[in-house]
Amino acid sequence: MNHPDAAAKYIADKDRARWHDKSLWFVRQKRDKMASSLPEWEELRDAASKIKAHMISNMEQYLLEFEKNAQANGIKIHWAMDAKEHNEIVHSLLKSHDVKKLVKSKSMLTEECHLNPYLEERGIEVVDTDLGERIVQLREERPSHIVMPAIHTKREEISDLFHEKMGTEKGNIDPDYLTYQARMDLRERFLASDAGLTGVNFAVAETGSIVVCTNEGNADLGTSLPKLHIASMGMEKIIPKMSDLAIFTRLLARSATGQPITTYTSQFNGPREGGEMHVVIVNNGRTEVMGQPEFRRSLSCIRCGACMNTCPVYRRSGGHSYSYIVPGPIGSILGPSRNSKEHSSLPFACTLCASCTNVCPVKIDLHDELLAMRKKIAAKNELPISKRLAMKVAGKVFSSPTLYKVAGKFARKALKMPRFMIYNQFNDWGKDRDLPEPPKKSFKEMMQERNKENGK
Amino acid sequence: MSSRDKILASIRENQPENVPAPAVDFKKITFEDTINEFSKTLEAVGGMARIVPRNEKLENYYEISPDAKVLSAITEIENRNVEPENIENEHDMKDIDYACFDVELAVAENGSFLTHCEDFKFRSVYFLAQHLIVRVKKSKILNNMHEAYAELAKMKRGPLTAFISGPSKTTDIEQCLVIGAHGARSLQVLIVED
């Protein structure tokens, strides 16, 4: 479904849309408070952005360095060209270890690869252990936000869900109670698991280590109880040196949730005694993005979600209105750069206000990329018919001075018509907002009068 | 051609020209009183800091509920009642109420401490124990993460090195902060003289 249609469904419940907007804005404010508490904030962003650009331009060298050092630490490295190969590798590892139950911590890459259904079809029980992910898993939904997967759900809904699935008290909506019940339930699942799968926030070439950041401690439990640890890694997660981690760990949580650092910043340097550790390095279209200069910087993303929290369109339309698994500004680049036809409406779910660019901790030029993506989609003739016609008409009007003058006059008159003739079902621009008071004269007329007065 | 070779070839084909790595030489935040800043930040992330003056007994500065099962690598914690030798595997750690250990260093800007997770034979206890009590030397409280990683670079690292900032937490239910997600439900940091 395209974004406007999906969003229309979402905002039909006005109270919920308003509540969602407020929740996300609250997170944005927490981020601002943290960012302004560091005098070197802008220098950190600048350094992060440059390290990522350096990494992208030397990715082959750093991936090979990572592979060599990780192998020396006893980590087994696998390479997957696409989602299918990633899923096959994970499955074969699980199968060869006779794994029946897998615990997972948050990984957007496995969402991108649709790993869960793939494994479930093959008889493996998959438990998402991040509380937000667990909620959406039990609701049989996808995450609506990359950091706060269940930000769209209300506590009453979670209470009902837990009552049905875990037998919690009916009607108890206390977050402390609900979290505690989930803790107890998931603890048993951790203890019963045969393998743990994590994502990768950063992979350090210099040391052959991976870093996983969580607030709940679920990645650490999932890799300390079962013997087998598999980490799914997008290839752009590589960074050159361990000292670079100082920059990224300072930026990540401050940008994401307004915390000074995530509760757990866990650096896995190798398998634990008697255990096995595997890292699957995944391409899945990333090198294609790399080859397009105008979208290349999107590969710098550290998945903090700050661009979503600030986006006026995301806040009001909710994550499920976006057709790609990563919603919001960054997802509206990542999605169409993989499949521009399927996600053609996403770059237009944007006011080009550039707030996302202003908060991005790695300084991705998000709004510029969104604009470039619109051009690409138009050039490929993948715009919806309504936009194509509108653009054609606009093109005609703007290229003819006479037509433009007439259209301007008409518009200034039209806006003075009685309310019911302007604010009705045919005018999308009049929904939930008042159109501006029309000026009496056009800019050209005003300039002409001014020049006359000045005697020119 | 293996997937590895295919991916590497594809990178070579699409990789832009070299962009040099930046110099990270800007001024990083420092504090007049790192101990005070650390304590303040730790409290803000849900933990508790106690300064233990020289010649004072440690036991006056931490709280352990009676009947608790206590596993401690700090010998001065006299409440310890679980013998590490009696633990046979990671799963046995699930009943531990308190895990107590010394940490390498702590960071004032974010209230975290660094541990190599090697005080006990099994590492799950760092994340399964209901409560944590850790001890850090005053001189090991650093200003920021740049200093922390510079120190970490000099250390021998085991399989898991973790920065832990406060007890585990989640805001996944309507943005309400709940302390005690999967890991520890409380954290006490004892700051001692060198």
Side-chain angles (χ1 to χ4, degrees):
Chain A
M1 196 187 288
N2 67 33
H3 184 274
D5 291 342
K9 275 192 185 164
Y10 186 77
I11 57 175
D13 184 345
K14 282 190 181 165
D15 286 338
R16 183 180 280 265
R18 211 163 288 143
W19 164 80
H20 188 268
D21 178 18
K22 269 193 196 157
S23 306
L24 271 303
W25 188 248
F26 173 62
V27 186
R28 156 81 211 251
Q29 286 173 318
K30 285 199 289 184
R31 172 254 170 224
D32 289 351
K33 213 174 136 203
M34 270 296 160
S36 61
S37 73
L38 280 186
E40 66 266 39
W41 183 254
E42 288 306 319
E43 283 152 310
L44 279 172
R45 287 179 72 210
D46 200 48
S49 164
K50 285 176 175 157
I51 292 170
K52 286 285 186 175
H54 169 70
M55 173 280 288
I56 292 168
S57 69
N58 292 276
M59 198 189 271
E60 186 193 15
Q61 171 207 326
Y62 284 127
L63 282 174
L64 290 173
E65 187 185 343
F66 171 76
E67 180 186 49
K68 192 180 96 209
N69 291 330
Q71 282 170 343
N73 297 345
I75 300 171
K76 299 209 169 64
I77 303 290
H78 309 261
W79 301 75
M81 196 63 195
D82 52 24
K84 183 169 163 277
E85 193 176 6
H86 163 263
N87 293 350
E88 286 166 1
I89 292 170
V90 173
H91 179 244
S92 74
L93 285 171
L94 296 176
K95 207 174 156 195
S96 66
H97 288 76
D98 203 21
V99 171
K100 300 275 185 304
K101 293 175 177 182
L102 173 72
V103 282
K104 263 179 72 201
S105 65
K106 208 188 285 162
S107 152
M108 291 317 294
L109 177 60
T110 60
E111 296 281 349
E112 177 188 320
C113 296
H114 304 288
L115 177 70
N116 286 18
Y118 182 90
L119 293 179
E120 282 159 1
E121 278 163 25
R122 284 154 186 81
I124 292 166
E125 183 193 294
V126 183
V127 176
D128 279 318
T129 57
D130 171 83
L131 180 59
E133 289 238 305
R134 183 67 180 154
I135 292 167
V136 296
Q137 185 182 38
L138 291 173
R139 283 168 64 95
E140 295 175 29
E141 286 175 336
R142 62 186 174 99
S144 73
H145 188 288
I146 58 173
V147 174
M148 299 166 285
I151 188 80
H152 61 289
T153 53
K154 295 202 168 190
R155 65 181 82 185
E156 290 81 6
E157 292 162 340
I158 297 168
S159 171
D160 288 348
L161 178 76
F162 282 11
H163 173 68
E164 185 199 328
K165 307 276 182 181
M166 287 185 240
T168 60
E169 274 171 40
K170 195 168 172 54
N172 191 334
I173 57 165
D174 176 23
D176 279 303
Y177 168 78
L178 293 170
T179 303
Y180 187 71
Q181 294 304 314
R183 171 187 171 98
M184 301 305 281
D185 180 81
L186 286 167
R187 214 156 234 255
E188 291 309 313
R189 295 177 193 273
F190 275 120
L191 289 163
S193 63
D194 309 308
L197 189 143
T198 67
V200 172
N201 288 92
F202 309 101
V204 185
E206 177 187 47
T207 59
S209 325
I210 62 160
V211 175
V212 182
C213 304
T214 75
N215 274 331
E216 302 185 4
N218 50 328
D220 305 280
L221 273 180
T223 55
S224 296
L225 289 167
K227 299 253 183 236
L228 175 63
H229 173 193
I230 304 170
S232 293
M233 168 186 160
M235 53 191 248
E236 79 284 15
K237 298 292 170 209
I238 192 86
I239 58 172
K241 294 181 297 193
M242 195 165 76
S243 59
D244 297 333
L245 284 172
I247 291 168
F248 292 107
T249 57
R250 295 186 78 194
L251 286 165
L252 178 62
R254 285 186 172 97
S255 298
T257 54
Q259 293 169 259
I261 189 169
T262 45
T263 303
Y264 300 89
T265 303
S266 306
Q267 182 171 329
F268 295 92
N269 303 307
R272 69 172 209 267
E273 212 184 294
E276 262 182 53
M277 184 174 162
H278 298 258
V279 176
V280 188
I281 302 173
V282 183
N283 181 4
N284 204 30
R286 284 161 176 76
T287 45
E288 276 161 52
V289 179
M290 196 188 215
Q292 304 169 52
E294 66 271 49
F295 306 119
R296 185 177 290 149
R297 284 167 71 182
S298 64
L299 291 174
S300 305
C301 177
I302 57 171
R303 303 287 189 269
C304 71
C307 61
M308 296 160 206
N309 304 342
T310 199
C311 176
V313 179
Y314 174 86
R315 279 189 277 119
R316 287 170 179 84
S317 60
H320 288 158
S321 300
Y322 294 77
S323 53
Y324 188 59
I325 184 70
V326 178
I330 185 67
S332 300
I333 297 163
L334 297 176
S337 63
R338 303 283 164 75
N339 186 337
S340 59
K341 201 173 167 74
E342 192 183 338
H343 305 296
S344 68
S345 72
L346 294 186
F348 297 91
C350 164
T351 64
L352 295 178
C353 73
S355 182
C356 48
T357 306
N358 286 327
V359 296
C360 176
V362 289
K363 292 179 114 173
I364 300 171
D365 51 343
L366 287 151
H367 73 290
D368 289 332
E369 295 200 12
L370 285 162
L371 187 60
M373 191 60 82
R374 292 183 186 185
K375 284 185 195 150
K376 187 179 154 188
I377 287 169
K380 287 173 90 175
N381 222 5
E382 288 168 343
L383 286 179
I385 181 93
S386 59
K387 272 217 167 66
R388 246 183 291 164
L389 282 179
M391 287 298 157
K392 240 187 198 142
V393 172
K396 278 256 157 27
V397 172
F398 289 135
S399 59
S400 152
T402 321
L403 260 182
Y404 180 73
K405 203 169 141 191
V406 172
K409 268 210 170 109
F410 176 76
R412 290 197 296 281
K413 288 256 155 44
L415 280 171
K416 284 183 197 148
M417 288 192 296
R419 257 194 102 76
F420 75 93
M421 291 185 68
I422 305 173
Y423 299 98
N424 56 39
Q425 56 176 328
F426 301 109
N427 180 12
D428 275 344
W429 289 93
K431 281 178 189 157
D432 282 312
R433 61 164 100 68
D434 273 353
L435 294 169
E437 191 73 24
K440 290 200 176 63
K441 293 166 190 162
S442 74
F443 179 73
K444 196 174 165 188
E445 285 165 355
M446 283 191 268
M447 270 313 275
Q448 277 168 348
E449 279 177 21
R450 209 179 112 114
N451 286 345
K452 218 183 251 170
E453 274 169 34
N454 294 343
K456 278 185 193 161
Chain B
M1 201 157 142
S2 70
S3 287
R4 178 179 180 276
D5 294 340
K6 265 193 245 168
I7 291 170
L8 294 174
S10 178
I11 292 174
R12 275 197 298 279
E13 199 178 304
N14 292 294
Q15 197 165 262
E17 260 181 56
N18 177 43
V19 178
V24 184
D25 51 6
F26 52 86
K27 191 174 176 304
K28 290 102 184 173
I29 200 165
T30 55
F31 307 96
E32 261 176 42
D33 184 346
T34 47
I35 293 152
N36 180 44
E37 182 68 25
F38 171 77
S39 307
K40 217 174 66 190
T41 314
L42 178 63
E43 249 157 66
V45 297
M48 228 174 350
R50 295 273 159 74
I51 299 169
V52 185
R54 201 184 299 277
N55 302 327
E56 289 257 359
K57 272 196 163 173
L58 208 59
E59 63 184 34
N60 299 327
Y61 291 87
Y62 61 79
E63 282 158 36
I64 289 183
S65 48
D67 309 326
K69 283 195 177 171
V70 183
L71 177 68
S72 178
I74 304 173
T75 46
E76 290 91 324
I77 291 190
E78 285 168 5
N79 314 46
R80 68 179 197 284
N81 54 20
V82 178
E83 287 308 319
E85 300 85 66
N86 296 344
I87 293 173
E88 280 169 22
N89 62 53
E90 298 278 6
H91 288 66
D92 288 350
M93 296 295 191
K94 71 178 194 298
D95 301 319
I96 303 291
D97 295 308
Y98 288 82
C100 319
F101 49 93
D102 284 299
V103 299
E104 301 292 331
L105 57 85
V107 185
E109 72 158 323
N110 57 29
S112 68
F113 64 77
L114 174 73
T115 171
H116 293 300
C117 305
E118 287 184 323
D119 302 275
F120 312 103
K121 199 169 155 200
F122 300 104
R123 83 178 187 206
S124 63
V125 72
Y126 293 87
F127 315 104
L128 269 177
Q130 300 288 337
H131 308 277
L132 299 182
I133 298 178
V134 309
R135 182 169 67 178
V136 65
K137 288 182 185 146
K138 262 188 181 173
S139 65
K140 299 284 182 186
I141 300 182
L142 310 176
N143 286 293
N144 56 51
M145 290 304 279
H146 304 276
E147 295 177 5
Y149 277 109
E151 284 303 308
L152 178 56
K154 296 179 211 156
M155 296 174 190
K156 194 182 164 295
R157 295 177 294 276
L160 173 58
T161 316
F163 285 95
I164 300 180
S165 165
S168 79
K169 55 186 82 68
T170 176
T171 56
D172 275 332
I173 301 179
E174 279 197 23
Q175 282 299 299
C176 301
L177 176 67
V178 178
I179 301 283
H182 293 300
R185 296 159 68 195
S186 81
L187 167 67
Q188 303 171 53
V189 178
L190 307 171
I191 303 168
V192 296
E193 300 284 342
D194 284 53

